[in-house]
C-alpha cells in the first residue's frame, strides 16, 4: 500500500508592508516583505481520507501573517519569523513544525537637499534580505538568514589560469579580467531553544547582516581573485570569524561573463588584451559556483 512519505502546506507569496511612525520626530520607517508559511504535523488524513478537520485553512494562515505583523515588530525579520512560527505550534496541538520564509525588499531613505527625508524612499537595487526559520515543537528554532542579489562588478583585479586543459578546452588563460556576479550568501545560526532565546540579544541579527554585507563587498573589491572559488571561500571564512554564533556559511555566485570584442576588422582597431575597452556583457550561459563552509566545532544551542 502507498504511504504518505511527507507533507507540508500553507500560504505563499503573502505581501506585507509595515510602517513605523515616530510621533515625536515625525520620521517614518518602512518594511516590505514577501512571506511564505508552511505547516507540518498530524495532517496525514487530510491527504489520505479527505479529512479537513486537521486543516488550518491557508486563508487563516494568511490572516495570521498580517495579525502577527501588527502585534510584533517585523525588524529584525528573524524575530518576526520566530514569533510567527511559534504561534502555529502553540495554538494548534496537532501542528509540530512551522516553516517560515521571509524575503525583505529593499527601500532606502531618500536624501533631499542634503538631509534624510522623513517619509520618502527609493529602491536602489534588487538586493534582498532573506530569513528562513524552522520552528519545531521538539527541537526549538533553527534560523538561516542571508543576502540575495547583491550585484557587484570590478573591472580588473581578477585572473583565471592553471585550470585543466584537454581536448575539450577552448577557454584561454587570463591574468587580468572583469569579474561580475550576483552574490547570494546565507549563514546558519546555532540552534535556539525558543522565542525567548531569539529575543535575548536580538541586536545580533542586524549586526551580523551589516558585518556580512561589508565583508562580501570588501573581499570582492580587495582580493586579487585567482578564482571565484577562492574568493568566495575567503568571504565565508571571515564571516565565520566575526560572527561566532554562526555555524555555517553558504555562497552561490554566478560568473557573469564580459567578452572582449575583436574590432580589428574595422581599420585595424585594437580592442584585445591590454587595449580592450569595449566588451559584450553575456546573459547566458554563465558559470555557477557554490560552496558551504562550516566550523570544526560541534553545533550548540543558544540559551
Amino acid at each position: 500500500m502507498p504511504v504518505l512519505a511527507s507533507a507540508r502546506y500553507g500560504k505563499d507569496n503573502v505581501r506585507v508592508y509595515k510602517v513605523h511612525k515616530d510621533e515625536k520626530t515625525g520620521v517614518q520607517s518602512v518594511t516590505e516583505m514577501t512571506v511564505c508559511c508552511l505547516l507540518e504535523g498530524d495532517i496525514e488524513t487530510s491527504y489520505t481520507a479527505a479529512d479537513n478537520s486537521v486543516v488550518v485553512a491557508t486563508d487563516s494562515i494568511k490572516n495570521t501573517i498580517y495579525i502577527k505583523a501588527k502585534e510584533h515588530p517585523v525588524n529584525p525579520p528573524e524575530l518576526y519569523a520566530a514569533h510567527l512560527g511559534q504561534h502555529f505550534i502553540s495554538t494548534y496541538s496537532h501542528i509540530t513544525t512551522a516553516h517560515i520564509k521571509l524575503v525583505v525588499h529593499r527601500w532606502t531613505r531618500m536624501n533631499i537637499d542634503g538631509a534624510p527625508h522623513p517619509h520618502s524612499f527609493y529602491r536602489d537595487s534588487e538586493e534582498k534580505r532573506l530569513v528562513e526559520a524552522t520552528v519545531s515543537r521538539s527541537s526549538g528554532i533553527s534560523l538561516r538568514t542571508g543576502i540575495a542579489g547583491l550585484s557587484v562588478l570590478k573591472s580588473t583585479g581578477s585572473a583565471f589560469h592553471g585550470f585543466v586543459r584537454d581536448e575539450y578546452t577552448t577557454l584561454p588563460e587570463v591574468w587580468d579580467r572583469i569579474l561580475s556576479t550576483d552574490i547570494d550568501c546565507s549563514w546558519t545560526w546555532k540552534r535556539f531553544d525558543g522565542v525567548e532565546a531569539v529575543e535575548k540579544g536580538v541586536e545580533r541579527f542586524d549586526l551580523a547582516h551589516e558585518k556580512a554585507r561589508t565583508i562580501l563587498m570588501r573581499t570582492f573589491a580587495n582580493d586579487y581573485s585567482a578564482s571565484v572559488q577562492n574568493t568566495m571561500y575567503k568571504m565565508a571564512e571571515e564571516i565565520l570569524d566575526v560572527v561566532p554564533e554562526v555555524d555555517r556559511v553558504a555562497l552561490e555566485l554566478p560568473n557573469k561573463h564580459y567578452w572582449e570584442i575583436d574590432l580589428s576588422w574595422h581599420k585595424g582597431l585594437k580592442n584585445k588584451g591590454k587595449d580592450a575597452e569595449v566588451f559584450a556583457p553575456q546573459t547566458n550561459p554563465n558559470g555557477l559556483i557554490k560552496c558551504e563552509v562550516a566550523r570544526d566545532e560541534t553545533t550548540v544551542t543558544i540559551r
Side-chain angles (χ1 to χ4, degrees):
M1 288 288 293
V3 296
L4 186 69
S6 65
R8 64 180 67 168
Y9 79 99
K11 207 69 162 181
D12 195 9
N13 293 312
V14 182
R15 301 292 299 274
V16 179
Y17 168 93
K18 185 174 184 179
V19 59
H20 176 266
K21 303 173 183 178
D22 190 321
E23 300 297 340
K24 291 182 179 180
T25 64
V27 174
Q28 299 189 2
S29 301
V30 301
T31 301
E32 183 178 343
M33 56 188 175
T34 303
V35 182
C36 176
C37 176
L38 302 179
L39 305 180
E40 288 185 49
D42 296 327
I43 56 175
E44 180 178 355
T45 55
S46 67
Y47 292 84
T48 61
D51 174 18
N52 290 335
S53 68
V54 296
V55 176
V56 179
T58 67
D59 190 67
S60 302
I61 295 172
K62 176 207 67 181
N63 293 340
T64 304
I65 289 169
Y66 291 134
I67 291 167
K68 294 304 166 184
K70 177 65 176 180
E71 292 178 344
H72 298 284
V74 296
N75 288 301
E78 292 86 349
L79 180 58
Y80 171 70
H83 277 299
L84 181 60
Q86 185 64 47
H87 164 83
F88 288 104
I89 66 170
S90 297
T91 304
Y92 306 104
S93 60
H94 67 292
I95 298 299
T96 58
T97 307
H99 301 272
I100 312 297
K101 182 178 180 180
L102 309 179
V103 178
V104 182
H105 305 281
R106 189 175 177 87
W107 285 116
T108 301
R109 189 176 301 277
M110 290 185 184
N111 275 285
I112 305 298
D113 297 327
H117 198 274
H119 58 254
S120 295
F121 308 84
Y122 69 103
R123 181 158 294 165
D124 56 355
S125 78
E126 291 304 314
E127 177 190 342
K128 297 172 178 64
R129 181 169 174 173
L130 306 181
V131 175
E132 293 185 16
T134 300
V135 184
S136 169
R137 192 183 303 281
S138 61
S139 56
I141 300 174
S142 62
L143 286 171
R144 186 162 71 97
T145 61
I147 295 167
L150 176 58
S151 298
V152 293
L153 177 149
K154 62 180 179 181
S155 55
T156 188
S158 175
F160 189 55
H161 51 81
F163 51 87
V164 173
R165 302 200 69 85
D166 57 20
E167 66 270 28
Y168 302 101
T169 306
T170 58
L171 184 70
E173 295 184 317
V174 290
W175 280 258
D176 185 33
R177 66 173 181 171
I178 296 167
L179 181 58
S180 179
T181 188
D182 299 322
I183 299 175
D184 287 359
C185 176
S186 65
W187 45 97
T188 302
W189 295 85
K190 301 178 190 296
R191 189 174 296 275
F192 295 85
D193 268 348
V195 174
E196 295 79 10
V198 176
E199 289 177 325
K200 184 179 179 181
V202 72
E203 65 278 355
R204 64 165 69 91
F205 299 112
D206 284 345
L207 187 59
H209 185 269
E210 292 167 8
K211 287 181 176 179
R213 192 173 188 272
T214 298
I215 288 166
L216 294 172
M217 290 198 289
R218 183 176 61 228
T219 305
F220 179 85
N222 291 341
D223 180 47
Y224 183 80
S225 178
S227 65
V228 176
Q229 287 89 334
N230 186 237
T231 297
M232 70 196 309
Y233 181 81
K234 292 176 181 178
M235 292 172 173
E237 191 175 38
E238 189 173 353
I239 292 171
L240 287 171
D241 183 53
V242 302
V243 189
E245 295 159 311
V246 163
D247 267 337
R248 182 180 296 263
V249 177
L251 281 148
E252 179 174 326
L253 276 66
N255 193 357
K256 299 163 69 176
H257 303 300
Y258 288 69
W259 298 136
E260 293 178 358
I261 303 173
D262 185 358
L263 298 176
S264 60
W265 56 270
H266 181 73
K267 301 179 182 179
L269 199 59
K270 294 181 179 179
N271 193 59
K272 298 283 286 184
K274 64 181 179 60
D275 297 312
E277 294 178 316
V278 178
F279 297 79
Q282 305 297 299
T283 53
N284 51 63
N286 59 270
L288 182 60
I289 299 92
K290 300 183 180 184
C291 77
E292 291 192 19
V293 182
R295 296 189 186 278
D296 289 332
E297 60 193 52
T298 303
T299 300
V300 299
T301 299
I302 300 175
R303 302 184 183 276

